Amino acid sequence: MDYLCFKALCCKGPPPPRPEYDLVCIGLTGSGKTSLLSQLCCESQENIVSTTGFSIKAVPFQNAVLNVKELGGADTIRKYWSRYYQGSQGVIFVLDSASSEDDLETARNELHSALQHPQLCTLPFLILANHQDKPAARSVQEIKKYFELEPLARGKRWILKPCSLDDMEAVKDSFTLLINLLEERELEPSRM
């Protein structure tokens, strides 16, 4: 009997693998995509440079691994974003909440395009209003209103959260909410 108890407790085998989700991360240059993802991966914050093409990071969480394809946000690169959308299961959109009016308008247009893109429109979105630690940062309520998220994203699954590198726990919590949406989506019967 002791052997059976020992075997039941110790010989269960390896834990089940964590699910992996393929995500695309977009936003204008300077919004903080690279810094946030590097911090989530516990990488050095020194010598971070803007992504000029794309990079892929495996971001480990307790209940999932997010394979994030970060796309550069420069003018010359944004026109190619849609070529990298295929296979994505979710979207992370990072915006600089302390940016100029012109940049905020550009970010709004890019987010609207992404929310309406055929390969992304049914996917969960995590929208991060970054740089909340800066004096000029707009609140989440201001961003929601300016970006017209309520009418535009009605019927879609999206989360808008404030963030900054100063509060990585809040960033992790936001990603956990996204993982929950991804898990819910996976459990739904497929739409054919």
Side-chain angles (χ1 to χ4, degrees):
M1 173 136 172
D2 287 336
Y3 172 74
L4 291 176
C5 288
F6 175 78
K7 186 175 178 184
L9 290 173
C10 299
C11 302
K12 291 181 183 175
R18 291 182 285 186
E20 293 191 24
Y21 298 102
D22 295 328
L23 307 176
V24 63
C25 179
I26 54 179
L28 304 187
T29 295
S31 61
K33 301 179 300 294
T34 305
S35 297
L36 285 170
L37 292 172
S38 295
Q39 186 91 356
L40 284 171
C41 291
C42 300
E43 296 173 355
S44 169
Q45 294 297 294
E46 292 180 31
N47 305 319
I48 287 185
V49 293
S50 290
T51 304
T52 53
F54 73 91
S55 72
I56 298 175
K57 291 191 184 302
V59 185
F61 285 88
Q62 187 173 348
N63 56 341
V65 175
L66 304 180
N67 298 312
V68 181
K69 192 182 326 172
E70 178 201 347
L71 307 182
D75 266 356
T76 54
I77 297 171
R78 288 196 307 265
K79 60 186 172 190
Y80 299 108
W81 279 358
S82 61
R83 296 181 184 200
Y84 296 92
Y85 292 165
Q86 188 170 352
S88 296
Q89 296 169 285
V91 181
I92 304 158
F93 189 93
V94 182
L95 63 98
D96 179 356
S97 59
S99 67
S100 69
E101 290 294 324
D102 286 348
D103 283 349
L104 205 63
E105 177 69 20
T106 303
R108 182 178 100 140
N109 292 337
E110 294 296 345
L111 178 59
H112 283 207
S113 294
L115 281 164
Q116 295 169 342
H117 192 278
Q119 288 179 307
L120 303 181
C121 65
T122 61
L123 302 180
F125 271 71
L126 172 59
I127 305 162
L128 295 172
N130 197 14
H131 299 146
Q132 288 292 310
D133 52 327
K134 294 184 179 178
R138 293 156 185 91
S139 71
V140 167
Q141 290 74 22
E142 291 172 296
I143 297 283
K144 186 188 290 187
K145 184 177 180 183
Y146 181 79
F147 277 65
E148 300 172 324
L149 286 173
E150 292 291 346
L152 180 71
R154 185 172 286 122
K156 300 179 189 307
R157 293 194 176 114
W158 57 277
I159 303 161
L160 171 62
K161 290 290 182 183
C163 74
S164 76
L165 288 175
D166 293 346
D167 189 0
M168 287 307 292
E169 283 308 308
V171 173
K172 289 176 185 174
D173 290 345
S174 298
F175 274 82
T176 299
L177 293 172
L178 177 61
I179 290 168
N180 292 342
L181 287 181
L182 292 164
E183 289 171 343
E184 286 172 17
R185 188 170 189 273
E186 208 170 60
L187 295 174
E188 288 177 358
S190 58
R191 298 176 206 143
M192 299 250 179

